[in-house]
Amino acid sequence: MSGAFAGLLSEIPSAEFLPAANRYLIRQEWMEGFATCVHLTVDLDSGDFELRSAGHPPAIQLQALSGESCAHQPEGPLLGLIDEAEFEVARGSLAPGDAVVIYTDGMVESPGRDLAQGIDRLIDGAHRILGEGHQYGAQRLVDELGSPDDDRALVLVHRT
């Protein structure tokens, strides 16, 4: 699946990626049945970004100037389930020092804990850990906050 998706990324506009990935999975009659996905496009000059999601946990934007954070969770169904699915877009901008954190559910889910609590824990940890610097920040977040019993992956996009 990753090879097919990489090919799609290089061939189509970003707004068409999730619909194309969805059509691909439906045509494959994939045994897993569905997948979650998040797609982030960032203009490296302006910091403007677009985010689309297919059933993925919300992306978290950490704002350097205010020390605040906000969640971006555009609506979109899981990939591979609904023909002609539509995926909303969330738009934002990264100011210098800001970061966006995209992560798998293994970073925020654990038995007996509400998902919102896990997201709050990730936000608090990201502010604390990234307050010490962004170098190796993604690895430090995964090591400290990720569940040892689930998928643990995190992408950290930081604007210098």
Side-chain angles (χ1 to χ4, degrees):
M1 184 171 64
S2 65
F5 284 6
L8 286 174
L9 284 170
S10 66
E11 295 297 319
I12 60 176
S14 61
E16 296 175 24
F17 173 71
L18 288 180
N22 185 59
R23 287 189 301 274
Y24 173 80
L25 284 182
I26 288 172
R27 280 193 316 269
Q28 300 307 308
E29 297 181 8
W30 189 41
M31 286 179 44
E32 296 292 324
F34 66 89
T36 66
C37 187
V38 64
H39 184 257
L40 175 69
T41 305
V42 180
D43 180 311
L44 299 179
D45 292 323
S46 68
D48 293 342
F49 66 85
E50 291 186 347
L51 179 82
R52 291 172 178 81
S53 177
H56 209 270
I60 305 300
Q61 180 177 1
L62 304 169
Q63 299 165 334
L65 188 58
S66 68
E68 307 241 336
S69 61
C70 63
H72 297 281
Q73 188 167 24
E75 300 255 339
L78 300 166
L79 295 179
L81 297 180
I82 301 171
D83 278 328
E84 302 306 316
E86 295 183 17
F87 302 91
E88 289 183 2
V89 62
R91 291 181 175 85
S93 187
L94 293 171
D98 285 4
V100 171
V101 180
I102 301 170
Y103 51 91
T104 60
D105 60 0
M107 292 297 299
V108 294
E109 285 183 340
S110 68
R113 182 175 64 198
D114 183 80
L115 185 61
Q117 290 175 316
I119 293 170
D120 288 344
R121 181 176 170 263
L122 176 62
I123 292 169
D124 291 344
H127 279 295
R128 181 177 43 77
I129 291 169
L130 299 177
E132 300 166 5
H134 287 80
Q135 187 170 16
Y136 306 110
Q139 185 64 55
R140 294 189 339 251
L141 286 165
V142 168
D143 290 345
E144 185 170 324
L145 302 173
S147 168
D149 302 321
D150 201 348
D151 61 328
R152 301 178 305 156
L154 184 139
V155 174
L156 172 66
V157 178
H158 173 242
R159 184 168 186 214
T160 56

